[in-house]
Amino acid sequence: MKRALAALLCLGALSGAAAKADYPDRGVKIIVPFPAGQTTDVLARTIGQQLTESLGQAFFVDNRGGAGGIIGMEGAKRSDADGYTLLMASSGPLAINPGLYRKLPYDTLKDFTAVSMVVAVPQFLVTRADFPANNLKELIDYVKQHPGQLNYGSGGTGLTNHLTMEMFKRQAGLNIMHVPYRGAAAALTGLMSGDVAMMFESGPAIMPHVQKAALKVFAVGSRNGSKALPDIPTMDRAGVPGFDAQTWAALLVPKGTAAPIVEKLNKAMQIALRNPAVQQQLGALGAEVMLSTPDETNTYIKAEIARWGDTIKTANVQLE
């Protein structure tokens, strides 16, 4: 009996070693829960090309957009846990949806194993250039002096820039109304025309207007600041201590994928994300690389689920 058990253990070790040595021996699919052309899709294609070069097999994108990322997430969950289906998803499906929907056909932490963080995309608090404040403290004071009289825009209820503003409202004690638009571009148009007073938005979307002096930037939501706009203060330092909010993306695999495969993918990701050409390409999207181990990635995602869940609950935001 002991010999049989030892033989089984030996076979298990050998199979794990084989998985690490031979993987991948065919093409690998990266499910993206958004349509082609969206930021997460561009990230997946950029990283997929790097993994193809370093691991010797084709890493190709499978776009499964719809329902706020839910369709793609469920598809990835139901895939075989053999390392040949990966998931590249953003903070919306991974960390915001769990607090936003009463029922989800997936559980981020239970149904997936984290491989690596990919990028963070800082968001900036902006107003029109003629807004009567010149720094974050003055903006907060102005809003407090006009309770319920100002509004802010977002790309839609439950999106990151909506919830980031709700986080700001709560932590700064502000009374300001939400005006949801159908997409970030429409919200920016509303801001430029004066229909709303302010909003949070990513760097690439606001930069053309900032360069023309049409928009004023007050702060960046990420506590780490922004490499693209290093002179812009963080919300944390400019008047809202502890504030930290950003969009991000991570690479995951279905739960049950062999640990050697996860480790091999993580090592390949670190090589890809350290590539200066990749960093430059992602930087053009307003994204900043995030280097992490699988455990660090899991810890980060878990904390983000709690952070956004608390904001959603406080703001009483919920979708069916």
Side-chain angles (χ1 to χ4, degrees):
M1 183 68 178
K2 291 182 179 179
R3 288 182 180 179
L5 180 59
L8 287 172
L9 292 173
C10 183
L11 283 173
L14 287 173
S15 64
K20 185 173 182 180
D22 299 338
Y23 173 83
D25 61 8
R26 53 187 170 87
V28 179
K29 176 169 56 182
I30 306 174
I31 290 180
V32 173
F34 297 105
Q38 198 263 7
T39 301
T40 308
D41 170 70
V42 176
L43 291 173
R45 294 178 189 277
T46 301
I47 295 301
Q49 181 179 352
Q50 295 297 310
L51 295 179
T52 295
E53 294 175 3
S54 63
L55 295 178
Q57 294 290 339
F59 282 71
F60 58 93
V61 172
D62 178 4
N63 296 100
R64 300 192 190 181
I70 294 175
I71 293 174
M73 293 291 294
E74 184 176 15
K77 167 190 169 180
R78 297 183 182 280
S79 299
D80 292 335
D82 56 6
Y84 290 93
T85 298
L86 315 182
L87 169 69
M88 179 81 78
S90 63
S91 47
L94 292 172
I96 291 177
N97 280 358
L100 201 57
Y101 293 90
R102 288 190 178 92
K103 294 181 180 180
L104 277 178
Y106 67 89
D107 184 304
T108 300
L109 298 176
K110 293 180 180 179
D111 294 328
F112 300 97
T113 295
V115 173
S116 173
M117 297 301 299
V118 182
V119 296
V121 183
Q123 295 184 89
F124 300 87
L125 178 62
V126 294
T127 69
R128 280 170 34 118
D130 58 1
F131 190 84
N134 294 307
N135 56 55
L136 186 61
K137 184 178 183 305
E138 290 181 1
L139 181 146
I140 292 172
D141 289 342
Y142 185 83
V143 175
K144 287 185 175 180
Q145 291 164 8
H146 300 81
Q149 299 177 36
L150 299 174
N151 52 22
Y152 73 91
S154 81
T157 299
L159 297 187
T160 306
N161 60 354
H162 166 216
L163 298 176
T164 300
M165 182 61 82
E166 288 297 325
M167 187 183 294
F168 175 38
K169 283 174 55 178
R170 183 189 64 179
Q171 293 186 217
L174 304 181
N175 180 0
I176 180 170
M177 305 302 294
H178 176 219
V179 179
Y181 288 81
R182 291 187 176 181
L188 267 175
T189 299
L191 176 63
M192 297 295 297
S193 65
D195 292 335
V196 294
M198 63 190 71
M199 68 180 291
F200 272 98
E201 191 48 76
S202 62
I206 66 169
M207 280 309 299
H209 306 292
V210 173
Q211 291 167 351
K212 295 176 183 177
L215 289 182
K216 188 185 302 185
V217 186
F218 285 83
V220 57
S222 170
R223 188 181 288 183
N224 295 324
S226 167
K227 294 178 181 178
L229 295 173
D231 295 331
I232 300 300
T234 66
M235 297 282 292
D236 175 53
R237 294 180 180 176
V240 190
F243 192 95
D244 188 21
Q246 61 188 354
T247 303
W248 47 266
L251 184 70
L252 303 92
V253 291
K255 186 70 74 175
T257 302
I261 291 177
V262 173
E263 291 296 333
K264 191 166 188 176
L265 286 169
N266 180 266
K267 289 180 180 179
M269 285 292 295
Q270 305 315 299
I271 294 172
L273 293 172
R274 284 188 171 93
N275 185 325
V278 171
Q279 293 187 3
Q280 183 176 8
Q281 187 173 354
L282 298 181
L285 299 172
E288 301 172 5
V289 302
M290 297 179 73
L291 301 173
S292 65
T293 66
D295 285 344
E296 289 169 343
T297 305
N298 184 70
T299 298
Y300 183 87
I301 294 175
K302 186 175 182 180
E304 286 288 283
I305 290 173
R307 182 199 306 275
W308 290 116
D310 183 53
T311 298
I312 291 165
K313 183 177 180 180
T314 301
N316 194 29
V317 179
Q318 196 166 65
L319 303 180
E320 295 299 327

